[in-house]
């Protein structure tokens, strides 16, 4: 290989590695973004490192959710159609004492590890109980 070809290959490799590293380090959306379905939210939760071996979809969904499901005893996922329904759900949970709820633009996740979810998905954590 000549010097030009070797140099070009090195530059291409460097840019490839830099773009991979940049995409891995990009922070999640501050507002948590949106999800189309509880299935999409489940995939994101699993990518964050939280186990969700079996998604049990609620039929009908919980009172204010467009769709909702559970992943075992302590993990609950929900998608909302608008801010009014999301706020209504949070108002219902506040006196009930949910320990912590991750909140995105149109979703909530109740889990044992809200910090893990927030680190990967963004959004905020509402602490409502012990």
């Amino acid at each position: 290989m000549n010097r030009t070809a070797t140099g070009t290959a090195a530059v291409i490799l460097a840019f490839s590695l830099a773009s991979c590293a940049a995409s891995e380090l990009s922070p999640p959306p501050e507002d948590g973004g949106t999800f189309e379905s509880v299935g999409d939210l489940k995939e994101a939760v699993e990518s964050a490192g939280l186990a969700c071996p079996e998604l049990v979809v609620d039929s009908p969904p919980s009172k204010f959710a467009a769709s909702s499901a559970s992943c075992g005893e302590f993990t609950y996922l929900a998608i909302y159609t608008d801010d009014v329904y999301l706020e209504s759900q949070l108002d219902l949970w506040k006196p009930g004492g949910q320990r912590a709820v991750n909140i995105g633009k149109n979703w909530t996740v109740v889990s044992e590890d809200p910090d893990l979810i927030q680190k990967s998905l963004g959004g905020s954590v509402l602490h409502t109980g012990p």
Side-chain angles (χ1 to χ4, degrees):
M1 219 186 240
N2 65 32
R3 282 184 168 187
T4 305
T6 303
T8 303
V11 169
I12 291 171
L13 179 61
F15 279 124
S16 296
L17 292 175
S19 67
C20 287
S23 65
E24 290 178 46
L25 298 177
S26 59
E30 190 173 317
D31 62 7
T34 61
F35 291 94
E36 293 295 316
S37 69
V38 289
D40 293 341
L41 183 55
K42 173 193 183 281
E43 288 178 20
V45 164
E46 287 181 315
S47 293
L50 194 68
C52 184
E54 183 179 353
L55 185 68
V56 179
V57 177
D58 298 332
S59 182
S62 66
K63 184 173 182 175
F64 298 107
S67 59
S68 59
S70 61
C71 295
E73 189 176 349
F74 300 110
T75 306
Y76 184 77
L77 315 173
I79 302 291
Y80 304 89
T81 56
D82 63 40
D83 292 345
V84 173
Y85 287 124
L86 177 58
E87 288 299 322
S88 296
Q89 182 65 57
L90 297 176
D91 288 343
L92 180 67
W93 278 336
K94 286 175 187 173
Q98 290 286 349
R99 287 174 292 192
V101 180
N102 289 87
I103 305 163
K105 283 188 65 92
N106 75 328
W107 56 269
T108 57
V109 173
V110 176
S111 75
E112 295 282 294
D113 198 346
D115 294 333
L116 176 69
I117 299 300
Q118 185 179 29
K119 180 179 177 182
S120 295
L121 303 184
S124 59
V125 178
L126 172 66
H127 295 278
T128 63

